[in-house]
């Protein structure tokens, strides 16, 4: 079944591969942010180190921007892959139906 459906991906292989890669990037960035927050609390607030708080806060903003970018790109490539797959599947079904006798 998957082999039959996979044959209809054709020219949409790149978006089909890029979607999970961008999703992984987004998840990794989302998982790094709480670790940075813990570092701010442990090494910045308790020690009174304002420089550490500013640096980690900036890195958290950067991680958030990367997460946003990865999420947008994952959505874009996911939409391209799913719409292309549906187009190819509809065409294959139409071609198959045209072979039926009247």
């Amino acid at each position: 079944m998957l082999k039959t459906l996979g044959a209809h991906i054709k020219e949409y292989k790149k978006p089909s591969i890029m979607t999970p890669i961008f999703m992984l990037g987004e998840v990794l960035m989302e998982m790094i942010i709480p670790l940075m927050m813990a570092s701010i609390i442990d090494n910045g607030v308790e020690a009174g180190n304002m420089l550490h708080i500013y640096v980690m806060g900036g890195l958290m903003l950067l991680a958030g921007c990367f997460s946003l970018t990865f999420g947008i790109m994952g959505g874009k490539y996911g939409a391209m892959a799913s719409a292309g797959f549906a187009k190819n599947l509809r065409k294959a079904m139409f071609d198959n139906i045209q072979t039926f006798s009247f």
Side-chain angles (χ1 to χ4, degrees), residues 14-92:
K14 180 185 174 193
S16 298
I17 293 170
M18 294 302 288
T19 300
I21 291 173
F22 281 122
M23 287 175 61
L24 277 172
E26 181 184 11
V27 168
L28 286 175
M29 289 296 119
E30 293 287 336
M31 291 177 66
I32 287 173
I33 290 174
L35 295 175
M36 291 179 178
M37 190 66 198
S39 175
I40 287 175
I41 293 169
D42 293 341
N43 301 328
V45 175
E46 288 184 3
N49 187 354
M50 288 302 291
L51 179 64
H52 183 74
I53 294 173
Y54 290 137
V55 169
M56 293 307 289
L59 290 174
M60 282 177 65
L61 284 173
L62 191 63
C65 289
F66 274 120
S67 178
L68 177 66
T69 303
F70 289 153
I72 290 169
M73 296 304 289
K76 175 187 168 189
Y77 280 111
M80 285 173 41
S82 63
F85 174 73
K87 179 190 78 149
N88 290 343
L89 195 58
R90 280 192 309 272
K91 181 174 179 349

Side-chain angles (χ1 to χ4, degrees), residues 91-102:
K91 181 174 179 349
M93 287 175 60
F94 179 79
D95 291 343
N96 187 30
I97 290 171
Q98 292 301 311
T99 64
F100 295 168
S101 66
F102 284 103

